[in-house]
Amino acid sequence: MVDVHRVKLPGVGVLHSFYTDDGGKCGVITHRSGHSDLISFADVSDGADRAQKVSLRLSEDEAHTLAELLGGTRITEGLSKLDEIPGLSIDWFSVDYEDAIAGKPLGDLAAAGIIGLTVVAVVRGDSANPAPSGDFVVFPGDTIVVAGSPEKVARAFAYYRSGVLAAASVEAPPGG
């Protein structure tokens, strides 16, 4: 198991780094803007006069692609296994200033007519608020994580975005 070091970079984001078997150091700086920097450099304690350094700026999509090419993380693999459960969707909603939920409490989705959906957490900055109550106030920049059927997740996100509860879709029975 690789020992990963995590360092908060005030005003920038977070650096995750680890040492490789050959004495190098590899890391990722995750910026608050969503960009990531993949960095690699030699350890200066090995007697080298100058550490060789490589830095590569990646967009969010590029970082996800690189992670997939490298095999993903254990967390991603675990979530992927959960996604294979029929009828279960785990998704997140990033709250913007214009969203109806911004600055308001989560409320009770069941009382709003969305039954069978769970708000797993609200992520704010570097911390998660697991299983928040209905009076938990959501702000722009927060991420709401929910679990339920794909249809109910979509309905809840539409409700958070517009403040209006969309009618539930009714599917015709097979052969009908």
Side-chain angles (χ1 to χ4, degrees), residues 116-134:
L117 184 84
T118 301
V119 176
V120 178
V122 174
V123 180
R124 181 173 293 153
D126 290 337
S127 63
N129 300 283
S133 64

Side-chain angles (χ1 to χ4, degrees), residues 84-173:
E84 294 171 7
I85 298 172
L88 177 64
S89 178
I90 299 172
D91 210 340
W92 50 91
F93 176 80
S94 297
V95 180
D96 290 326
Y97 284 94
E98 63 272 2
D99 292 327
I101 192 68
K104 296 181 182 166
L106 279 171
D108 183 0
L109 286 173
I114 305 173
I115 299 170
L117 184 84
T118 301
V119 176
V120 178
V122 174
V123 180
R124 181 173 293 153
D126 290 337
S127 63
N129 300 283
S133 64
D135 61 352
F136 185 91
V137 178
V138 179
F139 294 105
D142 287 354
T143 300
I144 303 171
V145 182
V146 300
S149 71
E151 298 81 19
K152 290 177 182 176
V153 168
R155 195 165 177 225
F157 288 173
Y159 175 67
Y160 286 147
R161 184 166 284 114
S162 68
V164 177
L165 189 59
S169 62
V170 179
E171 295 181 14

Side-chain angles (χ1 to χ4, degrees), residues 1-157:
M1 176 85 90
V2 177
D3 186 24
V4 177
H5 301 277
R6 181 178 189 268
V7 178
K8 288 184 181 181
L9 304 173
V12 176
V14 179
L15 166 66
H16 289 91
S17 64
F18 62 93
Y19 287 96
T20 61
D21 287 340
D22 65 357
K25 189 174 182 182
C26 185
V28 174
I29 299 173
T30 307
H31 294 265
R32 292 179 175 256
S33 66
H35 285 88
S36 297
D37 290 333
L38 175 63
I39 59 173
S40 174
F41 47 96
D43 187 1
V44 293
S45 65
D46 65 2
D49 292 338
R50 229 175 95 184
Q52 293 181 353
K53 183 177 180 180
V54 176
S55 177
L56 179 62
R57 171 69 47 104
L58 302 172
S59 70
E60 191 171 351
D61 285 340
E62 293 164 339
H64 286 288
T65 300
L66 179 61
E68 287 178 21
L69 291 173
L70 293 174
T73 64
R74 290 184 179 103
I75 294 171
T76 303
E77 291 168 4
L79 288 175
S80 295
K81 288 179 183 175
L82 285 176
D83 281 341
E84 294 171 7
I85 298 172
L88 177 64
S89 178
I90 299 172
D91 210 340
W92 50 91
F93 176 80
S94 297
V95 180
D96 290 326
Y97 284 94
E98 63 272 2
D99 292 327
I101 192 68
K104 296 181 182 166
L106 279 171
D108 183 0
L109 286 173
I114 305 173
I115 299 170
L117 184 84
T118 301
V119 176
V120 178
V122 174
V123 180
R124 181 173 293 153
D126 290 337
S127 63
N129 300 283
S133 64
D135 61 352
F136 185 91
V137 178
V138 179
F139 294 105
D142 287 354
T143 300
I144 303 171
V145 182
V146 300
S149 71
E151 298 81 19
K152 290 177 182 176
V153 168
R155 195 165 177 225
F157 288 173

